[in-house]
Amino acid sequence: MIHIDPKIYKFSLGIFLLIAIGRMLIVPKAVGEAKNSPHFILALIIGAVLGFFSGMIGIGGGIILSPLLLLMHWANLKETASATALFIFLNSAAGSQALFKPD
């Protein structure tokens, strides 16, 4: 477990939420098919960073993942919705396992 200063926590949370809000406010001119496919190593690195920060600040990674997929043109709207739904489900299932663990 990593203990962070409350000021850093609030700042990090604010930055990630502002990114998500910015993506909702800025509508791209052409929303269509995905144009790029991510390089495997780049996707692993981004996934690790996304997982680290979403775990550190205690929010689901879906709020960070969906704008990233759309802004990088790695997925269209339907693909993004299905990927983030699966991502959130798996994170919830993993987190709920801790509830049922005997102490």
Side-chain angles (χ1 to χ4, degrees), residues 25-38:
L25 294 176
I26 299 170
V27 179
K29 293 180 182 178
V31 177
E33 293 298 315
K35 297 175 185 170
N36 303 327
S37 63

Side-chain angles (χ1 to χ4, degrees), residues 2-16 52-53 56-57:
I2 298 174
H3 296 284
I4 58 172
D5 184 71
K7 289 181 183 179
I8 295 173
Y9 167 78
K10 289 177 184 177
F11 180 76
S12 301
L13 179 62
I15 293 296
F16 283 115
F52 175 75
F53 281 110
M56 184 178 73
I57 60 178

Side-chain angles (χ1 to χ4, degrees), residues 9-91:
Y9 167 78
K10 289 177 184 177
F11 180 76
S12 301
L13 179 62
I15 293 296
F16 283 115
L17 292 177
L18 284 174
I19 291 170
I21 290 169
R23 172 57 188 100
M24 287 190 287
L25 294 176
I26 299 170
V27 179
K29 293 180 182 178
V31 177
E33 293 298 315
K35 297 175 185 170
N36 303 327
S37 63
H39 188 271
F40 183 73
I41 300 297
L42 177 64
L44 284 177
I45 292 169
I46 289 174
V49 170
L50 181 127
F52 175 75
F53 281 110
S54 64
M56 184 178 73
I57 60 178
I59 63 171
I63 197 166
I64 305 168
L65 177 65
S66 56
L68 180 69
L69 290 174
L70 292 171
L71 289 173
M72 300 297 285
H73 298 287
W74 289 344
N76 62 28
L77 290 173
K78 288 183 181 182
E79 293 167 341
T80 299
S82 62
T84 53
L86 178 63
F87 184 78
I88 292 167
F89 173 76
L90 292 174
N91 282 339

